[in-house]
Amino acid sequence: MGLCKCPKRRVTTLFCFEHRVNVCESCLVSAHPKCIVRSYLQWLQDSDYSPQCPLCQAPLGDRDTVRLLCYDVFHWPCLSGWARALPPRTAPAGHRCPQCGGALFPPPNLQGPVAEALRARLRTAAWARPGLGLPLIEDSEALPEPETCPEPDGGWDGSAPRKPLGGREPWSAPDHEEEKKYRRRPRAWLPPGFRCRSRALSQHPLLALCLGGAAAFALLLFLLASLARGVADADPALEPLNNPHVRVGH
């Protein structure tokens, strides 16, 4: 935690890795729009950083940028191209930061310089207006989409996210077809009646616990009875032929 050097002199935990000064959200938007900003504790743990866009690997200073609520910075054309490449029916909650998976759209009740600057930028994109609760625009009023941000070697056209630095895969919307492969399947070796009962027991864990306890108690009684019967059969005192005091009637 430190004191920001802007005229407002606010206490803040944010730290600019490039200029090595404490920053608040106000001067973060006005004076450090393309800087890598994290907490001061993260700076002490690892001061290494990369001033490049995680999607295209080009320097952030080459193009217009946008900062998300998680303080990750991207080229605006790269982020817009990445969002347009998502499935058309992706819900607003499915739009996540390509680097850390944080929320892309700011909540309606969230106030602050970073949130307001992000809302102002997202209003200019047709794909982002539904996530902000704004009405769709007609084709005649369609806002121009920003051009894609090419990779330094010219190999990326903005149609798919690139792998950011640090070896982490970019976040993407979940694939429902992939989820179906790992969905729990019913036990095929059980008869249909037992499948229904097992499903009912799984929905009522207390009932399953009581039935399991009763079955364990019954098994314990059976084992104790068998053990007592075996001890009684092996006792020579209970054998009539070996006991002279026992008279066997004719």
Side-chain angles (χ1 to χ4, degrees), residues 179-230:
E179 291 181 356
K180 291 180 181 179
K181 296 194 303 184
Y182 303 101
R183 186 174 299 173
R184 192 171 183 180
R185 296 180 175 84
R187 300 178 179 87
W189 51 273
L190 290 176
F194 285 95
R195 294 182 195 174
C196 298
R197 294 177 184 176
S198 63
R199 190 181 303 110
L201 292 179
S202 62
Q203 297 176 356
H204 300 82
L206 183 59
L207 178 60
L209 182 62
C210 295
L211 293 179
F217 183 71
L219 180 61
L220 179 61
L221 292 180
F222 177 76
L223 293 177
L224 292 177
S226 300
L227 182 62
R229 191 181 302 108

mmCIF file of all heavy atoms in Angstrom, residues 179-230:
data_model
loop_
_atom_site.group_PDB
_atom_site.id
_atom_site.type_symbol
_atom_site.label_atom_id
_atom_site.label_comp_id
_atom_site.label_asym_id
_atom_site.label_seq_id
_atom_site.Cartn_x
_atom_site.Cartn_y
_atom_site.Cartn_z
ATOM 1 N N GLU A 179 -18.190 -31.150 -22.934
ATOM 2 C CA GLU A 179 -18.736 -31.451 -21.624
ATOM 3 C C GLU A 179 -19.550 -32.741 -21.633
ATOM 4 O O GLU A 179 -19.609 -33.458 -20.639
ATOM 5 C CB GLU A 179 -19.612 -30.295 -21.157
ATOM 6 C CG GLU A 179 -18.812 -29.032 -20.841
ATOM 7 C CD GLU A 179 -19.698 -27.917 -20.364
ATOM 8 O OE1 GLU A 179 -20.935 -28.124 -20.370
ATOM 9 O OE2 GLU A 179 -19.173 -26.865 -19.986
ATOM 10 N N LYS A 180 -20.201 -33.048 -22.770
ATOM 11 C CA LYS A 180 -21.022 -34.258 -22.832
ATOM 12 C C LYS A 180 -20.176 -35.524 -22.689
ATOM 13 O O LYS A 180 -20.641 -36.539 -22.202
ATOM 14 C CB LYS A 180 -21.793 -34.295 -24.159
ATOM 15 C CG LYS A 180 -22.877 -33.222 -24.268
ATOM 16 C CD LYS A 180 -23.597 -33.324 -25.603
ATOM 17 C CE LYS A 180 -24.667 -32.246 -25.725
ATOM 18 N NZ LYS A 180 -25.360 -32.319 -27.029
ATOM 19 N N LYS A 181 -18.904 -35.464 -23.107
ATOM 20 C CA LYS A 181 -18.063 -36.651 -23.018
ATOM 21 C C LYS A 181 -17.779 -37.022 -21.574
ATOM 22 O O LYS A 181 -17.573 -38.190 -21.262
ATOM 23 C CB LYS A 181 -16.752 -36.416 -23.763
ATOM 24 C CG LYS A 181 -16.920 -36.197 -25.250
ATOM 25 C CD LYS A 181 -15.598 -36.299 -25.968
ATOM 26 C CE LYS A 181 -14.604 -35.322 -25.422
ATOM 27 N NZ LYS A 181 -13.336 -35.353 -26.186
ATOM 28 N N TYR A 182 -17.727 -36.003 -20.693
ATOM 29 C CA TYR A 182 -17.397 -36.253 -19.300
ATOM 30 C C TYR A 182 -18.614 -36.250 -18.398
ATOM 31 O O TYR A 182 -18.488 -36.276 -17.186
ATOM 32 C CB TYR A 182 -16.408 -35.188 -18.810
ATOM 33 C CG TYR A 182 -15.148 -35.126 -19.643
ATOM 34 C CD1 TYR A 182 -14.988 -34.145 -20.607
ATOM 35 C CD2 TYR A 182 -14.152 -36.067 -19.477
ATOM 36 C CE1 TYR A 182 -13.841 -34.094 -21.372
ATOM 37 C CE2 TYR A 182 -13.009 -36.022 -20.231
ATOM 38 C CZ TYR A 182 -12.841 -35.031 -21.182
ATOM 39 O OH TYR A 182 -11.720 -34.987 -21.938
ATOM 40 N N ARG A 183 -19.805 -36.219 -19.007
ATOM 41 C CA ARG A 183 -21.013 -36.252 -18.204
ATOM 42 C C ARG A 183 -21.204 -37.652 -17.622
ATOM 43 O O ARG A 183 -20.925 -38.659 -18.270
ATOM 44 C CB ARG A 183 -22.213 -35.848 -19.062
ATOM 45 C CG ARG A 183 -23.508 -35.711 -18.284
ATOM 46 C CD ARG A 183 -24.594 -35.173 -19.187
ATOM 47 N NE ARG A 183 -24.242 -33.849 -19.693
ATOM 48 C CZ ARG A 183 -24.948 -33.209 -20.601
ATOM 49 N NH1 ARG A 183 -26.033 -33.768 -21.117
ATOM 50 N NH2 ARG A 183 -24.563 -32.015 -21.019
ATOM 51 N N ARG A 184 -21.684 -37.712 -16.417
ATOM 52 C CA ARG A 184 -21.839 -38.994 -15.730
ATOM 53 C C ARG A 184 -22.911 -39.829 -16.412
ATOM 54 O O ARG A 184 -24.048 -39.383 -16.605
ATOM 55 C CB ARG A 184 -22.222 -38.742 -14.270
ATOM 56 C CG ARG A 184 -22.134 -39.999 -13.406
ATOM 57 C CD ARG A 184 -22.299 -39.635 -11.957
ATOM 58 N NE ARG A 184 -22.148 -40.807 -11.109
ATOM 59 C CZ ARG A 184 -22.237 -40.786 -9.791
ATOM 60 N NH1 ARG A 184 -22.475 -39.625 -9.182
ATOM 61 N NH2 ARG A 184 -22.081 -41.872 -9.088
ATOM 62 N N ARG A 185 -22.542 -41.034 -16.785
ATOM 63 C CA ARG A 185 -23.474 -41.931 -17.479
ATOM 64 C C ARG A 185 -24.108 -42.891 -16.483
ATOM 65 O O ARG A 185 -23.511 -43.251 -15.476
ATOM 66 C CB ARG A 185 -22.744 -42.732 -18.562
ATOM 67 C CG ARG A 185 -22.179 -41.855 -19.681
ATOM 68 C CD ARG A 185 -21.480 -42.713 -20.702
ATOM 69 N NE ARG A 185 -21.039 -41.926 -21.842
ATOM 70 C CZ ARG A 185 -19.913 -41.252 -21.889
ATOM 71 N NH1 ARG A 185 -19.107 -41.270 -20.833
ATOM 72 N NH2 ARG A 185 -19.575 -40.560 -22.957
ATOM 73 N N PRO A 186 -25.331 -43.382 -16.752
ATOM 74 C CA PRO A 186 -25.979 -44.346 -15.848
ATOM 75 C C PRO A 186 -25.265 -45.685 -15.890
ATOM 76 O O PRO A 186 -24.606 -46.042 -16.865
ATOM 77 C CB PRO A 186 -27.409 -44.447 -16.406
ATOM 78 C CG PRO A 186 -27.291 -44.041 -17.840
ATOM 79 C CD PRO A 186 -26.203 -43.011 -17.889
ATOM 80 N N ARG A 187 -25.411 -46.424 -14.821
ATOM 81 C CA ARG A 187 -24.788 -47.747 -14.705
ATOM 82 C C ARG A 187 -25.546 -48.728 -15.599
ATOM 83 O O ARG A 187 -26.650 -49.150 -15.288
ATOM 84 C CB ARG A 187 -24.797 -48.210 -13.254
ATOM 85 C CG ARG A 187 -24.029 -47.268 -12.323
ATOM 86 C CD ARG A 187 -24.125 -47.765 -10.881
ATOM 87 N NE ARG A 187 -23.406 -46.916 -9.979
ATOM 88 C CZ ARG A 187 -23.902 -45.830 -9.397
ATOM 89 N NH1 ARG A 187 -25.137 -45.477 -9.669
ATOM 90 N NH2 ARG A 187 -23.188 -45.103 -8.579
ATOM 91 N N ALA A 188 -24.926 -49.124 -16.702
ATOM 92 C CA ALA A 188 -25.606 -49.977 -17.669
ATOM 93 C C ALA A 188 -25.759 -51.405 -17.167
ATOM 94 O O ALA A 188 -26.621 -52.147 -17.627
ATOM 95 C CB ALA A 188 -24.832 -49.971 -18.999
ATOM 96 N N TRP A 189 -24.901 -51.810 -16.205
ATOM 97 C CA TRP A 189 -24.959 -53.201 -15.755
ATOM 98 C C TRP A 189 -26.069 -53.432 -14.726
ATOM 99 O O TRP A 189 -26.327 -54.568 -14.337
ATOM 100 C CB TRP A 189 -23.626 -53.603 -15.143
ATOM 101 C CG TRP A 189 -23.121 -52.644 -14.105
ATOM 102 C CD1 TRP A 189 -22.368 -51.540 -14.300
ATOM 103 C CD2 TRP A 189 -23.354 -52.730 -12.695
ATOM 104 N NE1 TRP A 189 -22.118 -50.903 -13.098
ATOM 105 C CE2 TRP A 189 -22.705 -51.609 -12.100
ATOM 106 C CE3 TRP A 189 -24.055 -53.620 -11.872
ATOM 107 C CZ2 TRP A 189 -22.731 -51.376 -10.738
ATOM 108 C CZ3 TRP A 189 -24.067 -53.389 -10.509
ATOM 109 C CH2 TRP A 189 -23.411 -52.281 -9.949
ATOM 110 N N LEU A 190 -26.730 -52.369 -14.266
ATOM 111 C CA LEU A 190 -27.813 -52.529 -13.305
ATOM 112 C C LEU A 190 -29.146 -52.658 -14.028
ATOM 113 O O LEU A 190 -29.343 -52.047 -15.070
ATOM 114 C CB LEU A 190 -27.863 -51.323 -12.366
ATOM 115 C CG LEU A 190 -26.707 -51.185 -11.350
ATOM 116 C CD1 LEU A 190 -26.874 -49.894 -10.572
ATOM 117 C CD2 LEU A 190 -26.668 -52.363 -10.391
ATOM 118 N N PRO A 191 -30.076 -53.454 -13.466
ATOM 119 C CA PRO A 191 -31.432 -53.508 -14.037
ATOM 120 C C PRO A 191 -32.110 -52.156 -13.908
ATOM 121 O O PRO A 191 -31.714 -51.318 -13.089
ATOM 122 C CB PRO A 191 -32.139 -54.576 -13.168
ATOM 123 C CG PRO A 191 -31.031 -55.351 -12.543
ATOM 124 C CD PRO A 191 -29.890 -54.407 -12.371
ATOM 125 N N PRO A 192 -33.142 -51.902 -14.715
ATOM 126 C CA PRO A 192 -33.803 -50.588 -14.672
ATOM 127 C C PRO A 192 -34.339 -50.235 -13.293
ATOM 128 O O PRO A 192 -34.281 -49.084 -12.879
ATOM 129 C CB PRO A 192 -34.929 -50.729 -15.701
ATOM 130 C CG PRO A 192 -34.459 -51.802 -16.643
ATOM 131 C CD PRO A 192 -33.661 -52.762 -15.797
ATOM 132 N N GLY A 193 -34.888 -51.222 -12.551
ATOM 133 C CA GLY A 193 -35.416 -50.920 -11.221
ATOM 134 C C GLY A 193 -34.335 -50.465 -10.264
ATOM 135 O O GLY A 193 -34.520 -49.529 -9.489
ATOM 136 N N PHE A 194 -33.171 -51.122 -10.307
ATOM 137 C CA PHE A 194 -32.082 -50.734 -9.419
ATOM 138 C C PHE A 194 -31.507 -49.379 -9.811
ATOM 139 O O PHE A 194 -30.995 -48.647 -8.976
ATOM 140 C CB PHE A 194 -30.991 -51.810 -9.444
ATOM 141 C CG PHE A 194 -31.365 -53.039 -8.675
ATOM 142 C CD1 PHE A 194 -31.926 -54.132 -9.328
ATOM 143 C CD2 PHE A 194 -31.171 -53.119 -7.306
ATOM 144 C CE1 PHE A 194 -32.274 -55.266 -8.635
ATOM 145 C CE2 PHE A 194 -31.525 -54.260 -6.598
ATOM 146 C CZ PHE A 194 -32.073 -55.337 -7.261
ATOM 147 N N ARG A 195 -31.526 -49.051 -11.114
ATOM 148 C CA ARG A 195 -31.043 -47.731 -11.524
ATOM 149 C C ARG A 195 -31.879 -46.627 -10.900
ATOM 150 O O ARG A 195 -31.360 -45.615 -10.427
ATOM 151 C CB ARG A 195 -31.087 -47.609 -13.047
ATOM 152 C CG ARG A 195 -30.138 -48.545 -13.765
ATOM 153 C CD ARG A 195 -30.232 -48.317 -15.266
ATOM 154 N NE ARG A 195 -29.613 -49.403 -16.002
ATOM 155 C CZ ARG A 195 -29.656 -49.524 -17.322
ATOM 156 N NH1 ARG A 195 -30.289 -48.616 -18.039
ATOM 157 N NH2 ARG A 195 -29.075 -50.538 -17.920
ATOM 158 N N CYS A 196 -33.209 -46.804 -10.884
ATOM 159 C CA CYS A 196 -34.076 -45.793 -10.293
ATOM 160 C C CYS A 196 -33.825 -45.669 -8.795
ATOM 161 O O CYS A 196 -33.792 -44.570 -8.244
ATOM 162 C CB CYS A 196 -35.542 -46.126 -10.561
ATOM 163 S SG CYS A 196 -35.986 -46.159 -12.326
ATOM 164 N N ARG A 197 -33.638 -46.831 -8.128
ATOM 165 C CA ARG A 197 -33.403 -46.776 -6.694
ATOM 166 C C ARG A 197 -32.073 -46.118 -6.376
ATOM 167 O O ARG A 197 -31.954 -45.353 -5.422
ATOM 168 C CB ARG A 197 -33.452 -48.191 -6.120
ATOM 169 C CG ARG A 197 -34.827 -48.838 -6.203
ATOM 170 C CD ARG A 197 -34.807 -50.252 -5.690
ATOM 171 N NE ARG A 197 -36.114 -50.900 -5.851
ATOM 172 C CZ ARG A 197 -36.346 -52.166 -5.553
ATOM 173 N NH1 ARG A 197 -35.363 -52.926 -5.066
ATOM 174 N NH2 ARG A 197 -37.557 -52.679 -5.738
ATOM 175 N N SER A 198 -31.041 -46.452 -7.137
ATOM 176 C CA SER A 198 -29.751 -45.831 -6.887
ATOM 177 C C SER A 198 -29.800 -44.332 -7.131
ATOM 178 O O SER A 198 -29.175 -43.551 -6.409
ATOM 179 C CB SER A 198 -28.691 -46.472 -7.787
ATOM 180 O OG SER A 198 -28.992 -46.245 -9.155
ATOM 181 N N ARG A 199 -30.569 -43.896 -8.140
ATOM 182 C CA ARG A 199 -30.705 -42.465 -8.382
ATOM 183 C C ARG A 199 -31.458 -41.789 -7.242
ATOM 184 O O ARG A 199 -31.125 -40.683 -6.823
ATOM 185 C CB ARG A 199 -31.438 -42.238 -9.706
ATOM 186 C CG ARG A 199 -31.427 -40.788 -10.160
ATOM 187 C CD ARG A 199 -32.178 -40.603 -11.467
ATOM 188 N NE ARG A 199 -31.632 -41.446 -12.527
ATOM 189 C CZ ARG A 199 -32.242 -42.491 -13.043
ATOM 190 N NH1 ARG A 199 -33.445 -42.833 -12.594
ATOM 191 N NH2 ARG A 199 -31.686 -43.210 -14.000
ATOM 192 N N ALA A 200 -32.471 -42.471 -6.698
ATOM 193 C CA ALA A 200 -33.223 -41.899 -5.581
ATOM 194 C C ALA A 200 -32.359 -41.803 -4.326
ATOM 195 O O ALA A 200 -32.427 -40.821 -3.577
ATOM 196 C CB ALA A 200 -34.479 -42.736 -5.293
ATOM 197 N N LEU A 201 -31.531 -42.822 -4.080
ATOM 198 C CA LEU A 201 -30.649 -42.786 -2.912
ATOM 199 C C LEU A 201 -29.599 -41.703 -3.042
ATOM 200 O O LEU A 201 -29.212 -41.080 -2.049
ATOM 201 C CB LEU A 201 -29.978 -44.160 -2.731
ATOM 202 C CG LEU A 201 -30.900 -45.299 -2.319
ATOM 203 C CD1 LEU A 201 -30.114 -46.596 -2.213
ATOM 204 C CD2 LEU A 201 -31.586 -44.994 -0.986
ATOM 205 N N SER A 202 -29.110 -41.491 -4.267
ATOM 206 C CA SER A 202 -28.116 -40.438 -4.451
ATOM 207 C C SER A 202 -28.699 -39.058 -4.202
ATOM 208 O O SER A 202 -27.981 -38.132 -3.814
ATOM 209 C CB SER A 202 -27.536 -40.516 -5.873
ATOM 210 O OG SER A 202 -28.550 -40.294 -6.839
ATOM 211 N N GLN A 203 -30.013 -38.885 -4.415
ATOM 212 C CA GLN A 203 -30.659 -37.604 -4.167
ATOM 213 C C GLN A 203 -31.034 -37.408 -2.707
ATOM 214 O O GLN A 203 -31.338 -36.295 -2.297
ATOM 215 C CB GLN A 203 -31.912 -37.466 -5.041
ATOM 216 C CG GLN A 203 -31.615 -37.457 -6.542
ATOM 217 C CD GLN A 203 -32.875 -37.416 -7.376
ATOM 218 O OE1 GLN A 203 -33.982 -37.471 -6.828
ATOM 219 N NE2 GLN A 203 -32.708 -37.327 -8.684
ATOM 220 N N HIS A 204 -31.038 -38.502 -1.911
ATOM 221 C CA HIS A 204 -31.362 -38.415 -0.481
ATOM 222 C C HIS A 204 -30.222 -39.079 0.301
ATOM 223 O O HIS A 204 -30.287 -40.270 0.643
ATOM 224 C CB HIS A 204 -32.692 -39.097 -0.169
ATOM 225 C CG HIS A 204 -33.857 -38.512 -0.905
ATOM 226 N ND1 HIS A 204 -34.156 -38.854 -2.213
ATOM 227 C CD2 HIS A 204 -34.782 -37.572 -0.528
ATOM 228 C CE1 HIS A 204 -35.235 -38.180 -2.599
ATOM 229 N NE2 HIS A 204 -35.621 -37.395 -1.610
ATOM 230 N N PRO A 205 -29.158 -38.374 0.591
ATOM 231 C CA PRO A 205 -28.002 -38.987 1.260
ATOM 232 C C PRO A 205 -28.318 -39.467 2.671
ATOM 233 O O PRO A 205 -27.733 -40.449 3.135
ATOM 234 C CB PRO A 205 -26.966 -37.852 1.266
ATOM 235 C CG PRO A 205 -27.764 -36.596 1.095
ATOM 236 C CD PRO A 205 -28.942 -36.967 0.271
ATOM 237 N N LEU A 206 -29.246 -38.794 3.392
ATOM 238 C CA LEU A 206 -29.575 -39.241 4.742
ATOM 239 C C LEU A 206 -30.254 -40.600 4.728
ATOM 240 O O LEU A 206 -29.962 -41.467 5.568
ATOM 241 C CB LEU A 206 -30.475 -38.196 5.414
ATOM 242 C CG LEU A 206 -30.852 -38.477 6.877
ATOM 243 C CD1 LEU A 206 -29.593 -38.571 7.728
ATOM 244 C CD2 LEU A 206 -31.792 -37.394 7.416
ATOM 245 N N LEU A 207 -31.168 -40.827 3.760
ATOM 246 C CA LEU A 207 -31.823 -42.127 3.636
ATOM 247 C C LEU A 207 -30.806 -43.208 3.303
ATOM 248 O O LEU A 207 -30.855 -44.325 3.854
ATOM 249 C CB LEU A 207 -32.912 -42.051 2.566
ATOM 250 C CG LEU A 207 -33.671 -43.350 2.262
ATOM 251 C CD1 LEU A 207 -34.378 -43.867 3.501
ATOM 252 C CD2 LEU A 207 -34.658 -43.154 1.121
ATOM 253 N N ALA A 208 -29.888 -42.901 2.401
ATOM 254 C CA ALA A 208 -28.860 -43.884 2.052
ATOM 255 C C ALA A 208 -27.982 -44.206 3.250
ATOM 256 O O ALA A 208 -27.576 -45.356 3.453
ATOM 257 C CB ALA A 208 -28.012 -43.343 0.894
ATOM 258 N N LEU A 209 -27.681 -43.208 4.086
ATOM 259 C CA LEU A 209 -26.865 -43.448 5.279
ATOM 260 C C LEU A 209 -27.595 -44.345 6.271
ATOM 261 O O LEU A 209 -26.992 -45.259 6.861
ATOM 262 C CB LEU A 209 -26.503 -42.105 5.919
ATOM 263 C CG LEU A 209 -25.609 -42.165 7.162
ATOM 264 C CD1 LEU A 209 -24.266 -42.779 6.819
ATOM 265 C CD2 LEU A 209 -25.420 -40.771 7.751
ATOM 266 N N CYS A 210 -28.907 -44.113 6.469
ATOM 267 C CA CYS A 210 -29.680 -44.954 7.393
ATOM 268 C C CYS A 210 -29.760 -46.400 6.907
ATOM 269 O O CYS A 210 -29.602 -47.346 7.687
ATOM 270 C CB CYS A 210 -31.073 -44.365 7.572
ATOM 271 S SG CYS A 210 -31.105 -42.751 8.386
ATOM 272 N N LEU A 211 -30.017 -46.570 5.607
ATOM 273 C CA LEU A 211 -30.089 -47.930 5.071
ATOM 274 C C LEU A 211 -28.747 -48.636 5.167
ATOM 275 O O LEU A 211 -28.671 -49.832 5.478
ATOM 276 C CB LEU A 211 -30.574 -47.875 3.617
ATOM 277 C CG LEU A 211 -32.018 -47.407 3.399
ATOM 278 C CD1 LEU A 211 -32.342 -47.374 1.913
ATOM 279 C CD2 LEU A 211 -32.989 -48.331 4.128
ATOM 280 N N GLY A 212 -27.680 -47.912 4.892
ATOM 281 C CA GLY A 212 -26.358 -48.526 5.017
ATOM 282 C C GLY A 212 -26.035 -48.909 6.451
ATOM 283 O O GLY A 212 -25.442 -49.966 6.718
ATOM 284 N N GLY A 213 -26.426 -48.058 7.428
ATOM 285 C CA GLY A 213 -26.196 -48.392 8.832
ATOM 286 C C GLY A 213 -26.997 -49.607 9.272
ATOM 287 O O GLY A 213 -26.499 -50.459 10.014
ATOM 288 N N ALA A 214 -28.258 -49.696 8.809
ATOM 289 C CA ALA A 214 -29.079 -50.857 9.168
ATOM 290 C C ALA A 214 -28.493 -52.147 8.578
ATOM 291 O O ALA A 214 -28.466 -53.200 9.239
ATOM 292 C CB ALA A 214 -30.515 -50.647 8.685
ATOM 293 N N ALA A 215 -28.026 -52.081 7.343
ATOM 294 C CA ALA A 215 -27.434 -53.271 6.733
ATOM 295 C C ALA A 215 -26.152 -53.677 7.455
ATOM 296 O O ALA A 215 -25.898 -54.878 7.672
ATOM 297 C CB ALA A 215 -27.147 -52.985 5.254
ATOM 298 N N ALA A 216 -25.344 -52.724 7.879
ATOM 299 C CA ALA A 216 -24.117 -53.055 8.608
ATOM 300 C C ALA A 216 -24.432 -53.659 9.970
ATOM 301 O O ALA A 216 -23.758 -54.594 10.415
ATOM 302 C CB ALA A 216 -23.262 -51.794 8.756
ATOM 303 N N PHE A 217 -25.486 -53.143 10.661
ATOM 304 C CA PHE A 217 -25.863 -53.693 11.958
ATOM 305 C C PHE A 217 -26.368 -55.127 11.826
ATOM 306 O O PHE A 217 -26.051 -56.000 12.648
ATOM 307 C CB PHE A 217 -26.923 -52.793 12.596
ATOM 308 C CG PHE A 217 -27.335 -53.230 13.974
ATOM 309 C CD1 PHE A 217 -26.471 -53.087 15.050
ATOM 310 C CD2 PHE A 217 -28.582 -53.791 14.186
ATOM 311 C CE1 PHE A 217 -26.845 -53.496 16.324
ATOM 312 C CE2 PHE A 217 -28.957 -54.202 15.464
ATOM 313 C CZ PHE A 217 -28.094 -54.055 16.535
ATOM 314 N N ALA A 218 -27.177 -55.384 10.794
ATOM 315 C CA ALA A 218 -27.677 -56.744 10.572
ATOM 316 C C ALA A 218 -26.530 -57.706 10.259
ATOM 317 O O ALA A 218 -26.498 -58.858 10.730
ATOM 318 C CB ALA A 218 -28.693 -56.739 9.437
ATOM 319 N N LEU A 219 -25.554 -57.262 9.487
ATOM 320 C CA LEU A 219 -24.402 -58.107 9.186
ATOM 321 C C LEU A 219 -23.593 -58.400 10.431
ATOM 322 O O LEU A 219 -23.101 -59.523 10.626
ATOM 323 C CB LEU A 219 -23.542 -57.425 8.122
ATOM 324 C CG LEU A 219 -22.278 -58.178 7.680
ATOM 325 C CD1 LEU A 219 -22.652 -59.526 7.070
ATOM 326 C CD2 LEU A 219 -21.477 -57.339 6.709
ATOM 327 N N LEU A 220 -23.478 -57.415 11.335
ATOM 328 C CA LEU A 220 -22.745 -57.630 12.580
ATOM 329 C C LEU A 220 -23.452 -58.649 13.461
ATOM 330 O O LEU A 220 -22.811 -59.540 14.056
ATOM 331 C CB LEU A 220 -22.589 -56.292 13.313
ATOM 332 C CG LEU A 220 -21.855 -56.337 14.661
ATOM 333 C CD1 LEU A 220 -20.428 -56.839 14.468
ATOM 334 C CD2 LEU A 220 -21.867 -54.979 15.325
ATOM 335 N N LEU A 221 -24.785 -58.575 13.568
ATOM 336 C CA LEU A 221 -25.531 -59.561 14.354
ATOM 337 C C LEU A 221 -25.381 -60.960 13.773
ATOM 338 O O LEU A 221 -25.244 -61.957 14.513
ATOM 339 C CB LEU A 221 -27.012 -59.164 14.404
ATOM 340 C CG LEU A 221 -27.349 -57.898 15.205
ATOM 341 C CD1 LEU A 221 -28.851 -57.643 15.160
ATOM 342 C CD2 LEU A 221 -26.886 -58.040 16.651
ATOM 343 N N PHE A 222 -25.384 -61.062 12.453
ATOM 344 C CA PHE A 222 -25.235 -62.375 11.834
ATOM 345 C C PHE A 222 -23.857 -62.966 12.125
ATOM 346 O O PHE A 222 -23.720 -64.163 12.428
ATOM 347 C CB PHE A 222 -25.446 -62.245 10.324
ATOM 348 C CG PHE A 222 -25.235 -63.521 9.567
ATOM 349 C CD1 PHE A 222 -26.198 -64.533 9.588
ATOM 350 C CD2 PHE A 222 -24.071 -63.737 8.843
ATOM 351 C CE1 PHE A 222 -25.996 -65.717 8.897
ATOM 352 C CE2 PHE A 222 -23.872 -64.913 8.150
ATOM 353 C CZ PHE A 222 -24.832 -65.912 8.179
ATOM 354 N N LEU A 223 -22.836 -62.149 12.071
ATOM 355 C CA LEU A 223 -21.480 -62.638 12.355
ATOM 356 C C LEU A 223 -21.338 -63.059 13.811
ATOM 357 O O LEU A 223 -20.711 -64.095 14.117
ATOM 358 C CB LEU A 223 -20.457 -61.558 11.997
ATOM 359 C CG LEU A 223 -20.326 -61.226 10.513
ATOM 360 C CD1 LEU A 223 -19.337 -60.092 10.309
ATOM 361 C CD2 LEU A 223 -19.897 -62.454 9.714
ATOM 362 N N LEU A 224 -21.915 -62.275 14.745
ATOM 363 C CA LEU A 224 -21.840 -62.648 16.155
ATOM 364 C C LEU A 224 -22.593 -63.937 16.437
ATOM 365 O O LEU A 224 -22.135 -64.790 17.214
ATOM 366 C CB LEU A 224 -22.397 -61.508 17.016
ATOM 367 C CG LEU A 224 -21.569 -60.213 17.045
ATOM 368 C CD1 LEU A 224 -22.265 -59.145 17.876
ATOM 369 C CD2 LEU A 224 -20.165 -60.486 17.595
ATOM 370 N N ALA A 225 -23.759 -64.138 15.808
ATOM 371 C CA ALA A 225 -24.524 -65.373 15.999
ATOM 372 C C ALA A 225 -23.771 -66.576 15.450
ATOM 373 O O ALA A 225 -23.742 -67.647 16.065
ATOM 374 C CB ALA A 225 -25.895 -65.232 15.338
ATOM 375 N N SER A 226 -23.142 -66.420 14.299
ATOM 376 C CA SER A 226 -22.363 -67.520 13.730
ATOM 377 C C SER A 226 -21.169 -67.860 14.612
ATOM 378 O O SER A 226 -20.830 -69.038 14.809
ATOM 379 C CB SER A 226 -21.891 -67.136 12.325
ATOM 380 O OG SER A 226 -22.986 -66.870 11.485
ATOM 381 N N LEU A 227 -20.525 -66.821 15.157
ATOM 382 C CA LEU A 227 -19.389 -67.085 16.039
ATOM 383 C C LEU A 227 -19.821 -67.783 17.311
ATOM 384 O O LEU A 227 -19.160 -68.727 17.777
ATOM 385 C CB LEU A 227 -18.699 -65.746 16.362
ATOM 386 C CG LEU A 227 -17.451 -65.838 17.247
ATOM 387 C CD1 LEU A 227 -16.369 -66.667 16.567
ATOM 388 C CD2 LEU A 227 -16.921 -64.448 17.574
ATOM 389 N N ALA A 228 -20.945 -67.397 17.908
ATOM 390 C CA ALA A 228 -21.435 -68.050 19.122
ATOM 391 C C ALA A 228 -21.837 -69.491 18.848
ATOM 392 O O ALA A 228 -21.600 -70.387 19.668
ATOM 393 C CB ALA A 228 -22.609 -67.247 19.693
ATOM 394 N N ARG A 229 -22.447 -69.761 17.699
ATOM 395 C CA ARG A 229 -22.823 -71.124 17.348
ATOM 396 C C ARG A 229 -21.595 -72.010 17.178
ATOM 397 O O ARG A 229 -21.573 -73.161 17.586
ATOM 398 C CB ARG A 229 -23.660 -71.111 16.068
ATOM 399 C CG ARG A 229 -24.315 -72.456 15.776
ATOM 400 C CD ARG A 229 -25.120 -72.415 14.479
ATOM 401 N NE ARG A 229 -26.150 -71.385 14.545
ATOM 402 C CZ ARG A 229 -26.104 -70.251 13.874
ATOM 403 N NH1 ARG A 229 -25.080 -69.996 13.067
ATOM 404 N NH2 ARG A 229 -27.075 -69.355 13.993
ATOM 405 N N GLY A 230 -20.543 -71.460 16.604
ATOM 406 C CA GLY A 230 -19.331 -72.242 16.428
ATOM 407 C C GLY A 230 -18.650 -72.543 17.742
ATOM 408 O O GLY A 230 -18.115 -73.642 17.952
#
